[in-house]
Amino acid sequence: MLDKKLKAVAMATKGFMPEVEGDALFVEACSACDELPRLPIVEVGTYCGRSTVWLGAAAERCKTVLFTVDHHSGSEENQKGWEWFDESLVDANTQKLNTLPTLLKTLQRAELGDAVVPIVAESRIASQQLSFEVAFCFIDGGHGELPTQLDFAGWTPKVAIGGRLAIHDVFSDARDGGQAPHDFIYRPALDSGEFVEISAVGSLRVLRRIKRNAI
């Protein structure tokens, strides 16, 4: 399990990852990195770094690195007028959402600077530039139809055989939450035959890559 000090940092950080799901994320990331040593972890959707603490700690334990990708201007649901808007994250100079300063403070408190590499970029652009395979890929970016489709297309091919694909906010019932992560990441991954589900905790689903289909 995650160190108590790091757990406290994670839980004090703004974000939407419940403790039980964060713990599951840490366990699965460690398992993947133990099986695929030296391969990195990727997180798509950093926000203020809550889940980054769990994944960064896994990277540090396994002597690898976490690349965490976010443009830090917030997803659609984080903007003013939407349910998940947080006024405290608005930059006083630009009057726009900017979560990067909060992330950097989170990493400083967690002392994970050597294990975490923040990438400030659109998910689509980052996925085009990072060409290596990963042991563990956690997708928790924009939850609209287009962002989830782009994340699926850009990041799932990078998961190595035996690696894990983790998806947050997977709801099969629309009454529980938005459908995009379920419809455009989770279901396509399973329907491809390349992944099998190995863990389900809350809204977190973890899949294991078992093969690559011929192109």
Side-chain angles (χ1 to χ4, degrees), residues 83-203:
E83 182 178 2
W84 304 112
F85 175 68
D86 187 334
E87 183 75 39
S88 70
L89 297 174
V90 174
D91 185 281
N93 295 317
T94 65
Q95 293 301 306
K96 294 182 179 179
L97 203 69
N98 182 10
T99 57
L100 181 58
T102 307
L103 167 67
L104 297 178
K105 291 176 183 177
T106 299
L107 295 179
Q108 185 177 38
R109 291 198 305 273
E111 299 180 351
L112 289 171
D114 291 341
V116 180
V117 179
I119 297 177
V120 183
E122 293 280 350
S123 171
R124 178 181 60 84
I125 300 300
S127 70
Q128 292 171 349
Q129 298 302 314
L130 302 182
S131 59
F132 45 75
E133 287 192 325
V134 303
F136 193 90
C137 179
F138 175 50
I139 299 181
D140 190 21
H143 285 16
E145 181 174 329
L146 181 58
T148 48
Q149 289 177 321
L150 291 173
D151 284 344
F152 177 81
W155 293 106
T156 58
K158 301 182 189 305
V159 179
I161 297 290
R164 316 295 201 268
L165 170 65
I167 312 142
H168 198 219
D169 295 325
V170 175
F171 301 107
S172 58
D173 191 327
R175 292 172 296 183
D176 297 326
Q179 298 292 281
H182 175 276
D183 292 351
F184 300 113
I185 304 177
Y186 172 74
R187 277 296 355 149
L190 289 179
D191 293 344
S192 72
E194 297 185 4
F195 294 88
V196 294
E197 185 172 325
I198 60 173
S199 175
V201 178
S203 71

